[in-house]
Amino acid sequence: MQTNTFSINRMRRRVIVNQVFKYIFIFSMSLALLALALLIYRILNQGLGSLNIDFLRQFPAPYPEKAGLFAGIMGSLYLMFLIAPISITIGVSTALYLEEYAAKNKFTRFIQINVQNLAGVPSIVFGLLGLTFFVYLFSLGYTLIAGALTMSLLILPVIVVASQEAIRAVPEDIRAASIAMGATKWQTIWRIVLPASIPGILTGSILALSRAIGETAPLIIVGAAAAIYTIPDSLTSKYTAMPIQIYNWTTRPQEEWQYLAGAGIIVLLIILLLMNSIAIWIRNKFQSRY
Amino acid sequence: MKNLKVFLIAALFVLSIGLLTACGTEEETGQNEDTTEENNTAEGKETEVDNEQELSGEIALDGSSTVLPIMEFLTYEYNQVKPEVETALNSSGSGGGFKKSTVGEIDFSNASRPIKEEEIALAGENGIELYELELAYDGLSVVVSQENDFLENITIDELREIFLAESGKTKWSEVNSEWPEEEIIIYSPGHDSGTFDYFNEVVLEENPMREGEGVTLSEDDNTLVTGISSDPYAIGFFGYAYYIANEDTLKVLGIDNGDGNPVKPNGDTIQDGSYSPLSRPLYTYVNVDYLKEKPQVHDFAVYALENAGAAAEQVGYVALPQEKIQEQINAINELAGK
């Protein structure tokens, strides 16, 4: 009898604890969703009125009604076209070396940990690095290529880590099978490992690129212009980027600029969402399970 | 599987091209930079002979975010008249601008404070001379919330007691017994801004400002505006343009500089200097060598001065008197040998 009430009490307590945690989790999720909904509502509310074709086509201007994001959009796209090849080539190569070639010893682990740490370094630090190396040491000046190289450095660790995960997920069995068929290491990598890991690598890379497109701090340091009336025509051109223009508008006192900033944020969000959708699409399309 | 391979090859192809171009440019850039100046001067001589309208080349500007709106107006309008000249305008703060101008990286260095001795010295070491141009006036406005009912005017001494760390006063009643016994909430621009530098110089006289509880520092002036307007016991300061843009939620205080005659900032009092000591000129510093060598720099300098008044009005600052503008244009022409 006594044991019976004891176990019923225990049961009841477990059920209550279960319920409590369920509601805590639901509450946390709603908080996150609420924040997202508020953000989207505020931005749409503020920016939708200023968002039109002219806004996408015009250069910055001292008059809110004539100002546009064109220089920023083009600048950001040019940056992407430079950052993507640079960072993905170097990043994937690094990951391949670490996973496939490097001996599994303390030194490799040390590099591994440092790459992971680098992924968490604040972006402003990469800006300072870019300023010291690309702008001054390589005397690239405040140019498009200096900005692109800096941003490539910024997202490189993220790409390395993501690619490593993807490469590691390729089963050892099919590697062994390939080697057993007489393939060299490189043939195995090229024909077996890379095709199998490409979805993971590209997903990681595109997410990293999305981070780069939204960054402001490093670009300010390596000298992206606040107001410019030409789009880059060479790697050594002056440039600006979307977040720089948006930031510039939010710091103005007059209310109209805040609306423009809102419109700019909408454009940036759309481009970000597009990039993320591409990442998801690639993952689904090329995914194959072993 | 075959699809994938094609995709992969295509991707790698694009990547390698990207890498090659990236590497290629690093070598080219150095040469480019060397030749740019020669090009500019060569073109300059031609255009001088030919026609002023065919000016081309680049103009690099950087500096104070306070001056940025004026400069944006000027570069934008200039671009309409002389589309061949490429202007690149940055805003990394007065100090950030001087960091670049004292090593000759930029043509114009915008500033909301005069150049410092050490910056002049640094420029001198690099063989660079910067010439000061005044573009407009800004009135540093000391503001409280519209809900504040006990303040209309304030003396410089009272400001010092409120803002100085050494005074140790944290309640309004401690500064003036007629004021309520409430905590003083301070909103101030961050220490990197020229606005803070200016306040620090003329009001605090380089003594440390109160910090910690009840003090908010922000580089974003809109944060200051929001904070002050919602708290009747808050006080803060920033550029005149920010007060004008938020007139309906803020109350600007008349400043009494000790003669018992408080003056509120407005277009007239700022221009004629009676709003003292809190009205300040906004500057741009032009590199004298570039002024002589690059015709587009001289052309823009003259254009900027001629249109600074319109620019100031558009963005909420106060224009210089016409004589002062003309004086500076003459000085510039003389410097450039024209």
Side-chain angles (χ1 to χ4, degrees):
Chain A
M1 195 65 199
Q2 212 182 5
T3 47
N4 205 2
T5 45
F6 177 71
S7 63
I8 287 176
N9 275 342
R10 242 178 80 112
M11 184 74 156
R12 204 170 280 149
R13 216 177 65 221
R14 284 171 57 207
V15 169
I16 290 173
V17 167
N18 188 37
Q19 286 294 318
V20 166
F21 273 100
K22 188 175 122 192
Y23 284 114
I24 289 179
F25 295 149
I26 290 179
F27 177 72
S28 311
M29 189 200 64
S30 346
L31 266 189
L33 275 182
L34 188 73
L36 185 68
L38 274 177
L39 178 85
I40 292 179
Y41 169 77
R42 203 184 112 83
I43 288 166
L44 287 182
N45 199 17
Q46 203 177 43
L48 221 47
S50 314
L51 190 62
N52 52 40
I53 286 292
D54 283 339
F55 178 73
L56 299 178
R57 280 202 315 230
Q58 286 163 337
F59 285 102
Y63 321 103
E65 66 280 1
K66 282 194 184 167
L69 199 62
F70 187 62
I73 295 175
M74 293 313 283
S76 283
L77 286 183
Y78 280 37
L79 277 176
M80 282 298 114
F81 283 130
L82 289 171
I83 296 170
I86 299 171
S87 59
I88 295 177
T89 334
I90 302 179
V92 174
S93 310
T94 309
L96 277 175
Y97 175 77
L98 285 177
E99 284 302 314
E100 300 289 332
Y101 290 97
K104 299 271 175 278
N105 55 23
K106 271 193 181 151
F107 182 65
T108 314
R109 278 228 328 266
F110 177 72
I111 294 180
Q112 189 96 6
I113 289 170
N114 276 301
V115 170
Q116 276 162 6
N117 283 341
L118 268 185
V121 168
S123 56
I124 193 106
V125 178
F126 283 98
L128 291 169
L129 190 75
L131 182 73
T132 321
F133 279 95
F134 302 127
V135 175
Y136 289 128
L137 200 64
F138 298 165
S139 58
L140 291 176
Y142 301 98
T143 54
L144 185 65
I145 184 69
L149 287 173
T150 307
M151 294 304 251
S152 304
L153 273 193
L154 170 71
I155 62 170
L156 200 54
V158 184
I159 294 184
V160 173
V161 171
S163 307
Q164 274 187 291
E165 294 291 337
I167 292 167
R168 209 175 299 148
V170 178
E172 202 52 47
D173 303 354
I174 63 164
R175 275 200 196 89
S178 171
I179 303 275
M181 297 295 282
T184 61
K185 193 143 202 168
W186 167 242
Q187 282 174 322
T188 307
I189 291 174
W190 181 243
R191 295 189 187 154
I192 305 293
V193 178
L194 268 185
S197 55
I198 209 83
I201 292 177
L202 283 182
T203 311
S205 305
I206 292 175
L207 290 180
L209 284 174
S210 313
R211 179 179 171 200
I213 207 173
E215 277 290 350
T216 324
L219 280 183
I220 290 184
I221 294 187
V222 296
I228 195 163
Y229 311 104
T230 47
I231 56 172
D233 53 5
S234 77
L235 290 174
T236 51
S237 294
K238 299 271 196 289
Y239 65 105
T240 186
M242 279 190 277
I244 303 267
Q245 282 204 278
I246 294 170
Y247 172 73
N248 182 9
W249 286 331
T250 57
T251 57
R252 306 283 174 93
Q254 293 85 2
E255 212 174 348
E256 300 84 24
W257 294 109
Q258 311 303 321
Y259 299 142
L260 276 191
I265 291 171
I266 294 177
V267 177
L268 187 62
L269 266 184
I270 290 175
I271 293 181
L272 273 175
L273 289 179
L274 266 180
M275 289 178 70
N276 288 356
S277 326
I278 294 174
I280 293 171
W281 179 78
I282 288 177
R283 195 178 58 205
N284 292 342
K285 180 153 174 72
F286 294 103
Q287 205 160 39
S288 53
R289 301 219 171 271
Y290 289 96
Chain B
M1 205 61 195
K2 203 176 174 199
N3 262 348
L4 230 165
K5 219 175 193 172
V6 174
F7 180 82
L8 205 80
I9 291 169
L12 263 162
F13 184 67
V14 175
L15 304 190
S16 49
I17 288 182
L19 197 71
L20 285 177
T21 40
C23 295
T25 40
E26 276 174 29
E27 289 148 28
E28 280 168 35
T29 349
Q31 298 165 352
N32 273 356
E33 267 176 21
D34 293 336
T35 46
T36 335
E37 269 180 43
E38 287 164 30
N39 275 345
N40 284 344
T41 41
E43 277 167 28
K45 273 165 201 155
E46 278 168 31
T47 42
E48 251 170 74
V49 184
D50 288 356
N51 191 344
E52 279 268 332
Q53 295 221 307
E54 281 170 30
L55 274 182
S56 62
E58 284 183 16
I59 303 176
L61 313 95
D62 201 342
S64 167
S65 54
T66 316
V67 188
L68 179 79
I70 295 189
M71 268 305 178
E72 189 189 56
F73 179 95
L74 292 171
T75 51
Y76 177 82
E77 293 297 340
Y78 187 70
N79 186 255
Q80 309 284 316
V81 207
K82 304 272 167 70
E84 289 303 307
V85 180
E86 289 180 22
T87 58
L89 172 60
N90 278 42
S91 107
S92 46
S94 302
F98 283 126
K99 243 178 238 164
K100 292 181 181 175
S101 57
T102 47
V103 293
E105 285 180 359
I106 52 174
D107 304 303
F108 290 91
S109 190
N110 307 324
S112 57
R113 58 163 172 82
I115 189 168
K116 290 177 183 164
E117 282 300 323
E118 59 259 36
E119 286 159 347
I120 298 177
L122 189 63
E125 280 170 29
N126 298 316
I128 285 161
E129 194 190 337
L130 298 170
Y131 187 77
E132 176 182 296
L133 297 173
E134 285 184 18
L135 291 174
Y137 293 118
D138 183 16
L140 213 149
S141 316
V142 179
V143 296
V144 293
S145 165
Q146 285 255 329
E147 293 163 33
N148 181 314
D149 52 9
F150 57 93
L151 278 175
E152 276 304 324
N153 303 306
I154 199 160
T155 67
I156 292 292
D157 287 336
E158 284 164 343
L159 277 180
R160 287 172 57 86
E161 287 188 37
I162 291 171
F163 281 94
L164 276 183
E166 63 190 21
S167 80
K169 294 178 178 167
T170 58
K171 286 204 164 93
W172 286 103
S173 52
E174 291 170 4
V175 179
N176 186 327
S177 54
E178 289 169 22
W179 294 344
E181 203 183 328
E182 295 281 348
E183 295 285 331
I184 305 174
I185 306 294
I186 291 178
Y187 285 88
S188 156
H191 292 232
D192 286 338
S193 71
T195 314
F196 178 82
D197 276 352
Y198 187 70
F199 189 80
N200 190 27
E201 191 189 315
V202 297
V203 178
L204 308 180
E205 291 166 348
E206 311 278 334
N207 293 305
M209 193 178 87
R210 232 184 88 193
E211 268 179 29
E213 208 181 324
V215 182
T216 304
L217 295 175
S218 174
E219 294 294 344
D220 181 359
D221 290 333
N222 286 322
T223 310
L224 307 178
V225 170
T226 321
I228 297 166
S229 58
S230 60
D231 185 342
Y233 304 107
I235 186 168
F237 62 92
F238 38 70
Y240 180 63
Y242 277 85
Y243 161 65
I244 288 299
N246 297 282
E247 248 175 325
D248 45 339
T249 54
L250 296 173
K251 180 158 78 175
V252 68
L253 299 181
I255 300 294
D256 179 350
N257 61 2
D259 57 6
N261 184 19
V263 180
K264 289 204 178 202
N266 60 43
D268 298 332
T269 56
I270 292 173
Q271 197 186 58
D272 67 18
S274 58
Y275 181 65
S276 140
L278 290 183
S279 69
R280 60 171 173 177
L282 299 176
Y283 307 94
T284 188
Y285 286 78
V286 59
N287 184 314
V288 175
D289 285 337
Y290 296 157
L291 188 69
K292 291 175 186 161
E293 290 163 10
K294 303 184 190 174
Q296 76 270 25
V297 170
H298 172 257
D299 192 54
F300 178 75
V302 173
Y303 182 89
L305 286 169
E306 281 170 350
N307 295 280
E313 257 156 51
Q314 169 70 23
V315 299
Y317 295 126
V318 178
L320 293 175
Q322 194 52 41
E323 316 86 79
K324 184 113 198 189
I325 298 271
Q326 199 51 49
E327 220 172 84
Q328 297 190 89
I329 295 179
N330 295 343
I332 286 261
N333 285 337
E334 203 170 302
L335 266 179
K338 292 197 174 139

